[in-house]
Every structure is written in C-alpha cells, then in structure tokens.
Amino acid sequence: MLRYWPTGNSGKELLFLNELEDLFDALQPGDVRSYCEPLCRRLARCIGSPCAQVAERTLYLWNSRAFDSLFVKDSQNLSVLAPLVYKPLRQCGDTSFNASLKQMSLHVIGILVDANMPIFERLADEYSASCE
C-alpha cells in the first residue's frame, strides 16, 4: 500500500488515510512490524503536510483504538514510531497557524508521553538541543 501512496493529491491522500485506518482494524501489532518504519515515516510526512486537512486526518489516527493498540500500546512499534513522528508533531504544535492542529498535535504528544515517558524525555531533549 505504501508504494501507491498518492503524494501529490491531498484529496486522495485523505481517502488513503481513511482506508489505512480501516485496515488497522484487521491487524495485530506483529503484523505491522515488517513495514512499521516506512509507514511511520509516511505518517510523519503527513503530519508535516502543507495541507492542514491531511495533517489533521493523520493526527486523528491516534484517536482510533486500532491505531492505539498497534502503535501506542505495543512497545516495539512505539519505539519505531516515536523518533520518526516527534519532530513533526513538535513543529506542528509550535509553528502551525491552525489552532486545531496545534491542539491536536499537543494532545498526540501527551498520548505518546503517557505511553513511554523515558523515550519522550530523550526526544524532547534532542529536539531542544537541535533548536538551539
């Protein structure tokens, strides 16, 4: 599926994200491990998308139970997801003109911090150091 991701068309990308969420319902955490990194890279790009709707739809994935069980509650998948999405989440929260995106990105960071505080403390330190 990642090979056919519609990168130049926001409307199709939104549809693809909807289908991806439906696909997550049928998967177990072990099923995702083989393509976890490329998928998380794509989600990170979507969070940083210039199209606010794509970024917002991507952030809505964290409200899905299926996504939560596949990525947030599974420590192996979370350890892949966290470093890839942290910087785009922080940038979205810090620089977005869209108040809804700011709030949603900070909410997602909160979800991820609750899932594994040590990883996110390290990522926050690295992000702060890179911004200085």
Side-chain angles (χ1 to χ4, degrees), residues 20 26 32 37 41-42 49 53 55 62 67 77-79 83 89 93 102 113 124 131:
L20 189 63
V32 178
E37 186 174 346
R41 284 187 194 286
R42 176 58 64 185
S49 173
Q53 290 175 321
W62 271 266
F67 185 87
N77 291 342
L78 181 63
S79 66
L89 283 170
K102 281 185 176 191
V113 166
C131 290

Side-chain angles (χ1 to χ4, degrees), residues 67-82:
F67 185 87
D68 188 57
S69 68
L70 288 175
F71 293 98
V72 178
K73 295 209 165 111
D74 185 81
S75 61
Q76 282 183 302
N77 291 342
L78 181 63
S79 66
V80 173
L81 174 75

